[in-house]
């Protein structure tokens, strides 16, 4: 594109007017820009202040809620009788130390007399005092009346500061025991409840309903606050007459705005002066430009009237001329391109390739035509470029002339076709389900993916020789389904039975549909093996059925005896007998539920607390002493290691596992006998092996593989049903595996059984176990 004259012959002689007006406009625009920037900064400050107020309010509310939860925890422990003065002093003092916004924590009895306080030394003067001040008396009695925590309004406490107190009532079976109280330092609440980052930007105060400051404000490094950026939010209905006020500190102009204003003024003056000088120069060139204008217009019309890119370069590869089509090809304006070589407008690799081709054309003096790929605005284009030497009047080569045509659409069409086929192949191979394509007329296999080959056991070459009826285990039904699918469209059928290359029957779910390709009617089948899913569903149904059956038996007994006692007069002895049965069945039901929950927690990877040292000898002596009193028919012996032996484990779970084994030993030796409990430390293997041996009826060989399955039980030899939930041994197995150990059994019918459980002395927990959860 060629330049045209900037001025006509009728341009004004007063060259200073336009620069002056331009300078004034620039100053106005720059002033407006500074005002907009200042306004934008204020809006950003306002938005940040809104976020600070919201975050500060939420932080204070979370802090109050966390402290209230601690008081409720103390209340629960008091109700359960697990909290005495020493425990209270330890827990409360440590909590106050960790939460400096609290001055102290007190316990007042049902007469509102303070009996405990923590920390003790700085607050012991309050012991024996009655909550008689107006606000503590009001809030503590409100807490007793409502049964909910209650806050005081701000008031001056004995310690001489303005504070707020919380009172949490304690009831046991409807009887009022007293209140736990906590004194908040308002300044401490602000310092510990609001982040330091927010306090550096804002002055934080607590105010009453009238807006007056309560207590001491927490100030940051700023000097003055901005009244436009001051906001008050309440702390909620639970904390009466108290709100949070955040006032933003004033920020003056930053150095960059001062620098921008100075540079803007200098720029406006400089631009005005430059425009004045430029106009003087242009007026001198005006006549010459007018003379060239007509010639340029003619040539420019010719160049811009074609869709082909036309360009001229000098010997150094710099563009001397480029038309609009060429500018679009290079992704820049013609003015930006002229005077640069290809390195200034194209990516380095493309520029190097084109400049090397240009050198070859100018060196050989012969034209060349090549395909070039150039990226324009992030899109790759392909051009057919024809280049020839550009000669002067004497025939010397002074550059080159080039014409380029965009052939990207044709190239893209070719690439799309190749890419479409490649995507189809990739998708066909990558699908994890079996995928087979059939000829709709012959029902022959045309193509099968790798998943289908693995599923049926055929190679892809063998597949191409088969039909759908060779795969089906029920050819007639397959023919009916295919006919229906071709008539109606996409269908899903389950279950469908096919056979593999070795005759194994597969249980499948098949989704199929028809389509046309190259005027050929085809249909596809997406095949999924659902045999394993059916097994899982059956296992779930079996478990639910077993749980329902096991729960129904004790519930039936409990309901039957309860209804009988409600509908009939019962003698005291008989009543005691029936209540004993109900109590026994209730315990059985509780054992079933507890075992089932423990089993599910362990299977899910939960239930293992932090590992602690467990004294093996002490554990065996505790179990032996307890179970020795459980049956008069049995003799219990235990053999603990001679030396002190310790393993890392969960003592409660290990105790539960060995208790289950001992209970089973008693239950399955109804005629009595010796029951032995022992532990053997195997140092080289780094483990301890526990064993429980009985002289009972033993376990039949066919039942030993199922003995650790849920709800599996063995009847006595006389056919009577043995009590228990059927979850004890599965729970033992899960506890052993949770400790990275194992459990097994050795048994002989009529002689007895020995159950072994090995536990590593320093276990590495399995990946699924979440220690400490």
């Amino acid at each position: 594109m060629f330049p045209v004259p900037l001025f006509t012959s009728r341009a004004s002689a007063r060259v200073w007017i336009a620069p002056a007006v331009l300078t004034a406009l620039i100053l106005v625009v720059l002033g407006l820009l500074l005002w907009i920037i200042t306004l934008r900064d204020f809006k950003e400050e306002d938005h940040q202040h809104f976020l600070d107020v919201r975050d500060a309010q939420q932080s204070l509310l979370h802090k109050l809620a966390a402290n209230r939860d601690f008081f409720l925890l103390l209340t629960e422990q008091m109700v359960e009788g697990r909290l005495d003065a020493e425990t209270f002093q330890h827990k409360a003092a440590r909590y106050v130390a960790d939460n400096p916004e609290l001055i102290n924590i007190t316990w007042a009895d049902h007469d509102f007399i303070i009996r405990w306080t923590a920390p003790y030394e700085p607050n012991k003067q309050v012991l024996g005092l009655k909550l008689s001040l107006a606000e503590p008396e009001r809030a503590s009695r409100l807490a007793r009346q409502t049964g909910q925590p209650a806050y005081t309004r701000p008031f001056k406490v004995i310690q001489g500061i303005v504070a707020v107190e919380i009172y949490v009532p304690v009831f046991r079976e409807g009887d009022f025991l007293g209140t736990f109280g906590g004194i908040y330092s308002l300044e401490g609440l602000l310092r510990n409840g609001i982040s330091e980052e927010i306090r550096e930007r804002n002055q934080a105060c607590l105010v009453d309903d009238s807006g007056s400051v309560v207590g001491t404000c927490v100030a940051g490094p700023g000097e003055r606050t901005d009244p436009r950026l001051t906001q008050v939010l309440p702390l909620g209905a639970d904390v009466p007459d108290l709100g949070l006020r955040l006032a933003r500190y004033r920020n003056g102009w930053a150095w960059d705005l001062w620098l921008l204003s100075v540079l803007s003024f200098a720029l406006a003056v400089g631009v005005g002066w430059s425009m004045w000088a430029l106009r003087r120069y242009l007026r001198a060139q005006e006549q010459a430009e007018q003379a060239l204008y007509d010639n340029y217009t003619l040539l420019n019309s010719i160049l811009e009237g074609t869709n082909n890119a036309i360009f001229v370069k000098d010997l150094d590869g710099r563009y001397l001329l480029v038309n609009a089509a060429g500018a679009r090809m290079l992704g820049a304006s013609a003015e930006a391109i002229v005077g640069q070589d290809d390195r200034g407008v194209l990516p380095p690799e493309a520029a190097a390739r084109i400049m090397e081709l240009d050198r070859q054309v100018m060196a050989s003096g012969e034209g060349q035509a090549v395909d070039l790929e150039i990226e324009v605005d992030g899109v790759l284009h392909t051009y057919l470029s024809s280049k020839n030497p550009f000669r002067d009047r004497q025939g010397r080569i002074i550059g080159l002339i080039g014409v380029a045509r965009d052939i990207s659409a044709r190239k893209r069409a070719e690439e799309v076709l190749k890419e479409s086929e490649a995507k189809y192949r990739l998708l066909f191979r990558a699908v994890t389900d079996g995928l087979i394509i059939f000829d709709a007329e012959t029902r022959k296999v045309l193509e099968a993916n790798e998943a289908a080959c693995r599923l049926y056991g055929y190679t892809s070459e063998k597949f191409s020789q088969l039909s759908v009826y060779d795969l089906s285990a029920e050819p007639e039904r397959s023919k009916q389904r295919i006919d229906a699918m071709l008539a109606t469209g996409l269908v899903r059928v389950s279950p469908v039975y096919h056979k593999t290359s070795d005759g194994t029957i597969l249980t499948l779910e098949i989704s199929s549909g028809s389509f046309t390709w190259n005027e050929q009617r085809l249909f596809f089948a997406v095949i999924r093996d659902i045999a394993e899913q059916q097994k899982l569903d059956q296992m779930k149904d079996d478990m639910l059925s077993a749980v329902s059956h096991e729960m129904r038996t004790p519930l039936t007994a409990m309901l039957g005896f309860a209804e009988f006692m409600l509908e009939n007069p019962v003698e005291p002895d008989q009543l005691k007998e029936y209540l004993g049965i109900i109590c026994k069945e209730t315990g059985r039901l509780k054992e079933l539920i507890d075992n089932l929950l423990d089993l599910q927690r362990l299977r899910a990877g939960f239930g293992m607390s932090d590992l602690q040292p467990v004294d093996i000898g002490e554990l065996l002596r505790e179990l032996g002493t307890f179970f020795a009193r459980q049956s008069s028919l049995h003799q219990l012996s235990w053999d603990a290691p001679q030396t002190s032996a310790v393993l890392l484990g969960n003592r409660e779970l290990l105790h539960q596992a060995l208790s289950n084994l001992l209970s089973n030993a008693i239950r399955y030796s109804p005629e009595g006998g010796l029951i032995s409990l022992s532990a053997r430390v195997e140092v080289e293997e780094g483990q301890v092996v526990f064993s429980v041996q009985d002289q009972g009826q033993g376990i039949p060989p066919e039942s030993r593989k199922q003995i650790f399955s849920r709800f599996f039980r063995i009847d006595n030899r006389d056919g009577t049903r043995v009590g228990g939930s059927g979850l004890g041994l599965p729970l033992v197995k899960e506890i052993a595996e949770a400790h990275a150990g194992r459990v097994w059994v050795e048994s002989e019918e009529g002689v007895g059984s020995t159950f072994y459980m090995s536990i590593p002395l320093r276990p590495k927990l399995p990946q699924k176990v979440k220690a400490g959860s």
Side-chain angles (χ1 to χ4, degrees), residues 490-693:
L490 184 67
V491 297
R492 176 182 293 176
V493 183
S494 175
V496 177
Y497 300 101
H498 279 198
K499 55 189 177 182
T500 63
S501 58
D502 60 4
T504 303
I505 300 300
L506 299 173
T507 304
L508 308 173
E509 176 187 84
I510 297 181
S511 299
S512 58
S514 63
F515 61 99
T516 301
W517 178 262
N518 290 336
E519 300 182 355
Q520 182 181 9
R521 185 80 183 280
L522 310 174
F523 69 90
F524 68 87
V526 179
I527 303 165
R528 177 174 297 171
D529 189 346
I530 61 172
E532 191 64 28
Q533 182 62 43
Q534 287 184 331
K535 291 180 181 178
L536 291 176
D537 291 342
Q538 185 60 45
M539 290 174 61
K540 180 179 69 175
D541 293 342
D542 292 345
M543 190 192 93
L544 290 175
S545 176
V547 170
S548 300
H549 175 75
E550 293 296 334
M551 293 181 69
R552 185 182 296 114
T553 301
L555 286 174
T556 300
M558 292 160 59
L559 182 62
F561 281 103
E563 288 179 345
F564 181 83
M565 288 187 292
L566 286 173
E567 296 173 359
N568 300 278
V570 181
E571 295 295 332
D573 292 342
Q574 193 176 18
L575 176 63
K576 183 176 181 180
E577 177 185 356
Y578 291 169
L579 289 175
I581 294 173
I582 292 175
C583 184
K584 178 182 177 182
E585 295 299 328
T586 303
R588 179 182 171 191
L589 182 60
K590 180 181 182 299
E591 178 188 5
L592 172 66
I593 295 173
D594 288 344
N595 285 342
L596 186 60
L597 291 176
D598 290 342
L599 187 63
Q600 292 303 109
R601 275 202 305 272
L602 288 170
R603 287 198 169 185
F606 295 92
M608 282 288 290
S609 61
D610 294 336
L611 301 183
Q612 300 292 335
V614 179
D615 189 310
I616 299 172
E618 179 184 344
L619 178 63
L620 264 61
R621 285 189 292 273
E622 179 181 332
L623 287 165
T625 302
F626 176 78
F627 278 94
R629 298 191 296 266
Q630 298 302 306
S631 174
S632 59
L633 297 177
H634 298 81
Q635 294 180 349
L636 182 65
S637 67
W638 59 90
D639 182 15
Q642 296 298 320
T643 60
S644 177
V646 176
L647 63 81
L648 282 181
N650 186 305
R651 191 181 192 282
E652 181 180 349
L653 291 180
L654 293 174
H655 187 283
Q656 184 176 5
L658 293 173
S659 295
N660 287 356
L661 293 177
L662 288 168
S663 296
N664 277 3
I666 294 173
R667 186 178 295 123
Y668 282 96
S669 54
E671 298 176 0
L674 178 64
I675 295 177
S676 300
L677 169 64
S678 66
R680 183 178 70 255
V681 179
E682 299 177 349
V683 178
E684 293 184 0
E685 287 76 11
Q687 66 179 8
V688 57
V689 179
F690 296 96
S691 65
V692 175
Q693 183 179 19

Side-chain angles (χ1 to χ4, degrees), residues 77-382:
Q77 294 179 350
M78 176 64 79
V79 171
E80 294 174 354
R82 294 187 291 115
L83 190 69
D84 54 20
E86 182 180 355
T87 305
F88 166 84
Q89 181 63 222
H90 173 71
K91 289 187 176 181
R94 185 173 60 182
Y95 190 83
V96 171
D98 293 339
N99 297 270
E101 71 274 9
L102 283 168
I103 299 174
N104 67 6
I105 299 175
T106 61
W107 161 251
D109 61 17
H110 63 280
D111 293 324
F112 301 103
I113 296 175
I114 298 175
R115 298 302 184 186
W116 300 341
T117 183
Y120 176 78
E121 284 299 328
N123 300 286
K124 60 185 179 181
Q125 70 273 16
V126 302
L127 292 176
L129 297 182
K130 188 170 184 178
L131 301 177
S132 58
L133 292 178
E135 274 305 306
E137 182 178 14
R138 181 193 64 82
S140 59
R141 279 155 176 74
L142 178 62
R144 181 182 64 180
Q145 293 170 6
T146 62
Q148 299 294 327
Y151 289 85
T152 67
R153 298 182 180 89
F155 72 104
K156 180 174 287 189
V157 297
I158 294 176
Q159 288 80 356
I161 62 172
V162 179
V164 171
E165 295 187 6
I166 180 176
Y167 289 94
V168 180
V170 180
F171 291 90
R172 180 186 292 154
E173 298 180 355
D175 294 329
F176 174 68
L177 302 182
T179 61
F180 284 106
I183 303 179
Y184 285 101
S185 165
L186 298 186
E187 181 180 359
L189 186 61
L190 292 174
R191 290 191 182 277
N192 294 283
I194 300 176
S195 68
E196 183 178 358
E197 180 183 0
I198 293 177
R199 289 189 280 109
E200 288 180 354
R201 293 191 295 264
N202 302 273
Q203 180 192 67
C205 304
L206 291 174
V207 297
D208 57 20
D209 286 346
S210 64
S212 300
V213 174
V214 178
T216 304
C217 293
V218 176
E223 297 179 358
R224 294 186 303 160
T225 59
D226 191 339
R228 298 173 301 171
L229 297 177
T230 299
Q231 190 172 356
V232 178
L233 288 180
L235 291 184
D238 292 338
V239 186
D241 302 332
L242 197 61
L244 170 66
R245 186 183 75 187
L246 279 188
R248 192 81 167 185
Y249 290 114
R250 290 181 180 271
N251 290 322
W253 270 21
W255 66 268
D256 52 352
L257 282 181
W258 284 109
L259 179 62
L260 177 61
S261 62
V262 173
L263 293 178
S264 299
F265 180 80
L267 175 63
V269 174
V271 169
W273 184 86
S274 300
M275 286 294 298
W276 176 77
L278 180 61
R279 282 184 64 98
R280 289 189 64 187
Y281 171 77
L282 291 177
R283 288 195 75 247
Q285 302 295 321
E286 183 178 342
Q287 296 299 327
E289 290 179 357
Q290 186 63 42
L292 294 173
Y293 179 71
D294 293 338
N295 293 332
Y296 279 134
T297 302
L298 176 62
L299 181 57
N300 192 58
S301 299
I302 296 173
L303 292 175
E304 302 304 326
T306 178
N307 289 326
N308 294 334
I310 300 175
F311 52 90
V312 180
K313 298 181 179 179
D314 62 15
L315 288 173
D316 294 324
R318 291 188 294 265
Y319 284 92
L320 301 175
L321 180 146
V322 63
N323 67 347
R328 289 193 298 272
M329 179 188 78
L330 295 174
S333 65
E335 291 81 1
I337 296 171
V338 171
Q340 298 195 67
D341 60 21
D342 291 299
R343 290 173 296 187
V345 294
L346 292 173
E349 293 183 1
R353 189 169 66 253
I354 292 173
M355 293 180 73
E356 177 61 28
L357 179 61
D358 293 348
R359 283 192 287 269
Q360 292 177 9
V361 170
M362 290 186 285
S364 65
E366 298 179 355
Q368 293 188 22
V370 295
D371 288 350
L372 295 174
E373 292 185 342
I374 299 176
E375 186 174 312
V376 180
D377 296 332
V379 179
L380 190 64
H381 291 260
T382 303

